[in-house]
Amino acid sequence: MDLFGVISQLVFLLVAVLTLAAGLATVLLRNVFHAALALVGTFFGVAAIYLMLEAEFLAIVQILVYVGAIAVLILFAVMLTRGMMQTEDSNINSQWAWAATAIGVLFVGLFILILQVPWKISGQPVVGDTTPALGTALLTTYLLPFEVVSVLLLATLIGAFIIARE
Amino acid sequence: MDIWTLITDPFVTIYNLLRSGIIGLLASLGVPPDWIALIVFLIMGIIVVTAILIVAPVMMMYMTWLERKLVARMQDRVGPNRVGPFGLLQPIADMIKFLTKEDIVPEGVDKPVHLLAPIVVVIPVILSFSVIQFGVGMGAVDLNLGLLFLLAMGSMATIGVFMAGFGSHNKFAMIGGMRAAAQIISYEIPQILSVVVVVLLAGSISLNGIIEKQSGLFGLGWYFFYLPVGPIAFFIFLLAATAEINRVPFDLPEAESELVAGYHTEYSGMKFGLFYLAEFLNTFIISAIAASLFFGGWQGPFVQQIPALGIAYFFGKTIILIGIQLWFRGSLPRIRVDQLMNFGWKRLVPATLALILFTAAFLWAYRVLNQFLTGLGG
Amino acid sequence: MLERYALIGLFAFAAITFPILPLVLAFLFRPKKPTRLKQSTYECGIEIQNEAPEAQSIWVQFRVQYYIYAILFVVFDIEVVFVYPWAVATNQMSLFWLLEMAVFILILVGALAYAWRKNLLEWV
């Protein structure tokens, strides 16, 4: 393996470990606010992994939308709750064994699935600037999904408004 | 080496000389090529990063001086004039004071969050400096998505503000943090959308690409002059960006009459200094983005012949834009929170969306007309 | 492309060190004389008045208005994600290109108009 390969492997390992640590912290921290902040850390890790896959647009959008918007939404939702500072309750309840089994089975299943699927791998390098290509694809091949997205967003908004007004 | 190149374009020439020098030295020592690439990348990277990290705080320090001097003049006062000639050493005195002030951590604060908040606020601003193009070929990185990267960094500010508000264990900080977050997200949409107008005109998201497209008319083909969309987009951007970094007249989260000092009520010493640093560097970044998008960045007359002029053009434009924001501060009262939210969602967002569609329609009509006319000619 | 982002990574490393450095410096220089009064929560000189237990003393339950703004923000942020590739796909420029984005934006403006009509944008 050449030097570049070694370095990118090392960076990937570092990013993966940090992402997993942040993910674990999200689940295990008792303070909801701290958990939400750990989730922001996970979002960053995912953005870094997108970057290493040379998906530039996706990585920056991940930061713009997830860190900039979704995280804020979650933090606002935390602020709407009452008494989240009471952290005496444990995160683990009596059904943890069942949950652990289910998760273990799911993990093994997914792992086997990922190994079995014949992934399409293109030998060609990534084109320099992917964004215009993305735009073209949105306007031609994926025209219908593109318009459906806006309807979906509209439905989300109206649903959220109705719930918010009670 | 040509002495003329060294004079007209000193920084890039020295950079290239250094780079080729290191490559030559390493090659003569028999270092394998991929190791050379790595070492050169690290050395040159560290040089560039250090240069920017020295320029940024100095810039910030003299922005505080400029602000105090300018606002004082507007209000018929003298401003700092004791420390050094014209008070020019005042920022250094301030820095020493920040370093020697006691750091008061009130009881009941969420210690890790309280400590991390000022750090989290500073990180995205410093990262923003990596894609700013300071002159011809003088940006640390020129990303294909440079502009989007800058906007993403801007959107990260909310997290730090939230942490400061929540971690301080103080009602004023909490309410200030929430208000700041609500304000930032409300004005981020018009800010991002007003930039789309420039992206449409330039057909590029790369900062350098956008600047290069403005080279027409003897280096004055700036998008600000693309009537009528240019000036409108610029004013929307300036308004929304000023609101996003919580500066006057949109400094409601720090409204001292109702919220003491907003989310940094419980911060003192160097931690407060970091919030201050982030605020000023944000002002610089906003002005630098506006200068690059609407006023051609380093573009200007004779910049092709003498690239060093580009740096002067860029900083000149940026400082004038900073001056405009300081002028706001010197002359405008703070607006009310309901006015702020209403203005953002009911006026700015629809107006910006309409502006984007208008620009697109205009570009399309122009293209159709152009094809029609060339068809007639042929 | 990755080389450019490697430099961004270097920058990120520097950006994390940059704010920590002055904090460490200040830690070495500053006086440390905490007193009870100094460390009390800032409350305009009066004692904190509350019935709730200590941990919740500053807890303010916020209005749902904040959440509505946040939802609106998320939706429009996602819209922006679609607008940017559209704006640079100038090789596709045609009446169709224009109308497609017009439809996309108008549907979302419908959502904004709905919120406006139902007085959800009002800051009360």
Side-chain angles (χ1 to χ4, degrees), chain A residues 22-122:
Chain A
L24 267 179
T26 312
V27 183
L28 295 178
L29 283 175
R30 290 194 186 162
N31 188 322
V32 192
F33 190 80
H34 291 175
L37 290 179
L39 188 63
V40 176
T42 334
F43 290 155
F44 272 110
V46 174
I49 287 172
Y50 282 148
L51 256 191
M52 302 198 69
L53 295 170
E54 308 204 19
E56 199 179 5
F57 188 76
L58 216 56
I60 290 179
V61 161
Q62 168 83 12
I63 291 181
L64 190 72
V65 172
Y66 278 83
V67 178
I70 307 273
V72 175
L73 185 74
I74 291 170
L75 288 172
F76 271 133
V78 167
M79 291 297 182
L80 285 175
T81 59
R82 194 191 286 263
M84 52 148 278
M85 303 284 283
Q86 285 168 329
T87 50
E88 289 88 51
D89 299 337
S90 172
N91 278 346
I92 293 170
N93 64 15
S94 59
Q95 285 165 355
W96 70 272
W98 291 108
T101 322
I103 290 167
V105 169
L106 189 71
F107 177 77
V108 172
L110 278 177
F111 197 76
I112 293 169
L113 200 71
I114 288 170
L115 290 183
Q116 301 261 310
V117 173
W119 299 103
K120 267 193 239 169
I121 296 170
S122 160

Side-chain angles (χ1 to χ4, degrees), chain B residues 100-371:
Chain B
T100 52
K101 280 288 167 189
E102 186 174 357
D103 178 36
I104 301 165
V105 182
E107 57 188 6
V109 300
D110 192 335
K111 281 229 174 67
V113 176
H114 188 259
L115 173 68
L116 281 176
I119 299 173
V120 170
V121 168
V122 172
I123 291 171
V125 200
I126 299 292
L127 268 175
S128 303
F129 275 90
S130 61
V131 292
I132 298 280
Q133 305 291 322
F134 296 96
V136 187
M138 273 189 60
V141 198
D142 179 31
L143 296 181
N144 292 329
L145 294 170
L147 193 51
L148 214 54
F149 180 83
L150 280 173
L151 296 172
M153 289 303 119
S155 77
M156 273 169 64
T158 345
I159 306 291
V161 166
F162 244 118
M163 287 170 74
F166 178 87
S168 291
H169 191 257
N170 181 314
K171 272 178 197 150
F172 300 112
M174 182 89 100
I175 298 174
M178 286 290 277
R179 275 201 193 172
Q183 174 179 336
I184 293 172
I185 61 173
S186 297
Y187 278 81
E188 200 175 313
I189 297 298
Q191 189 200 0
I192 301 180
L193 286 176
S194 62
V195 167
V196 173
V197 172
V198 173
V199 174
L200 268 170
L201 289 172
S204 167
I205 311 183
S206 143
L207 221 51
N208 227 357
I210 291 171
I211 294 171
E212 271 162 11
K213 281 273 168 61
Q214 305 180 50
S215 62
L217 293 173
F218 208 51
L220 292 173
W222 306 342
Y223 287 136
F224 184 77
F225 299 136
Y226 279 54
L227 297 169
V229 289
I232 302 176
F234 168 69
F235 285 119
I236 292 178
F237 178 81
L238 193 66
L239 267 182
T242 313
E244 174 148 344
I245 57 173
N246 303 329
R247 282 190 65 91
V248 183
F250 303 105
D251 60 338
L252 300 139
E254 302 162 34
E256 53 279 273
S257 50
E258 38 191 292
L259 285 175
V260 192
Y263 53 85
H264 39 59
T265 303
E266 295 288 14
Y267 281 94
S268 51
M270 204 60 207
K271 287 183 191 158
F272 177 74
L274 287 179
F275 277 109
Y276 208 61
L277 174 84
E279 183 179 326
F280 275 89
L281 289 184
N282 262 322
T283 314
F284 177 82
I285 292 285
I286 291 299
S287 309
I289 299 174
S292 309
L293 295 186
F294 298 100
F295 298 96
W298 41 259
Q299 206 70 255
F302 300 114
V303 89
Q304 299 304 332
Q305 289 78 27
I306 309 166
L309 273 178
I311 307 164
Y313 286 138
F314 172 80
F315 278 101
K317 289 167 189 172
T318 308
I319 288 168
I320 290 172
L321 286 169
I322 291 171
I324 290 176
Q325 286 182 324
L326 299 183
W327 179 27
F328 281 175
R329 165 155 180 191
S331 47
L332 293 177
R334 180 182 301 133
I335 66 172
R336 233 170 42 214
V337 65
D338 58 326
Q339 293 170 333
L340 174 95
M341 290 311 205
N342 281 344
F343 182 66
W345 284 109
K346 294 185 182 172
R347 302 282 180 272
L348 276 189
V349 172
T352 337
L353 289 173
L355 191 67
I356 290 176
L357 286 182
F358 180 78
T359 315
F362 191 78
L363 284 174
W364 170 72
Y366 181 77
R367 174 173 280 206
V368 169
L369 203 69
N370 219 4
Q371 277 166 355

Side-chain angles (χ1 to χ4, degrees), chain C residues 68-87:
Chain C
I68 288 175
Y69 285 122
I71 284 270
L72 261 176
F73 171 60
V74 170
V75 165
F76 276 89
D77 220 28
I78 294 169
E79 181 200 336
V80 169
V81 169
F82 286 98
V83 169
Y84 270 86
W86 166 80

